[in-house]
Amino acid sequence: MSVSDVPAATIMPPAGDGKSAAVSKGAVASARPKASEIRDALEQEIVTNARSAGERLDEQAIARRFAVSRTPVREAINQLASAGLIEQLPNRGAFVRQVGLGELVEMFEVMAELEGMAGRLAARRAAPQALAALQAALVACGAAAAQQDTDAYYYENERFHHAIYDACGNAFLAAEAKRLHMRLKAYRRLQLRVSQRMKQSLQEHERIVAAIAAGDGETAERELRAHIAVQGERFADLVASVGAAAR
């Protein structure tokens, strides 16, 4: 299946207007380090094809655009390289890397398994403090969803999943899950713009937390796998969201 095979009618348009747009606004933007703000802007431009595969990132131009030194720009570029969105070539610079749909699906498959395992272990091992952090993250996701703020939900969703990793009691698993989460976060953000996806995501979060709080590892694992998997309709949503971003 190609990107063009799936209609994009259900995709909500991204906020902003590409390279000239700020990724976030208000207190959320001011609370984040400048390097993270730059990273988010560049990340958004890459996954929406405002920056084409193979395009070189000009550090000086980016620094002028954000009115900063080149230090936070380099930090942002290093973060994007860690996420697999750009490639850094010695003595040549940083270039936008094209990520194929097949590669994305493979990463989501692994992510589903890692998250499922983390949920199962969290249901068995979560300390009261870790469970409280997870429940607080769920409340924050609910507040963002109530405001229909996909950008805010995106950040709260990241905290929610990290709370699960931290609750699983396995530092190696948590580190691997966070690493892959970073690589997929831009595409998970795109999926949140599918009509009704944020509402569905919140409902899935509620079932996940209920299972973990009840100590039901089997259900927590099953719910998290389904939450992350991109099979069936979810696969069509991913294809459509990537396709809509590319147009």
Side-chain angles (χ1 to χ4, degrees), residues 51-64:
R51 291 184 181 272
S52 305
E55 179 180 338
R56 184 177 180 277
L57 298 181
D58 185 331
E59 288 186 8
Q60 287 185 324
I62 296 170
R64 286 195 299 270

Side-chain angles (χ1 to χ4, degrees), residues 54-77:
E55 179 180 338
R56 184 177 180 277
L57 298 181
D58 185 331
E59 288 186 8
Q60 287 185 324
I62 296 170
R64 286 195 299 270
R65 169 185 164 190
F66 288 94
V68 297
S69 70
R70 293 174 69 172
T71 298
V73 174
R74 291 186 182 123
E75 290 177 11
I77 288 174

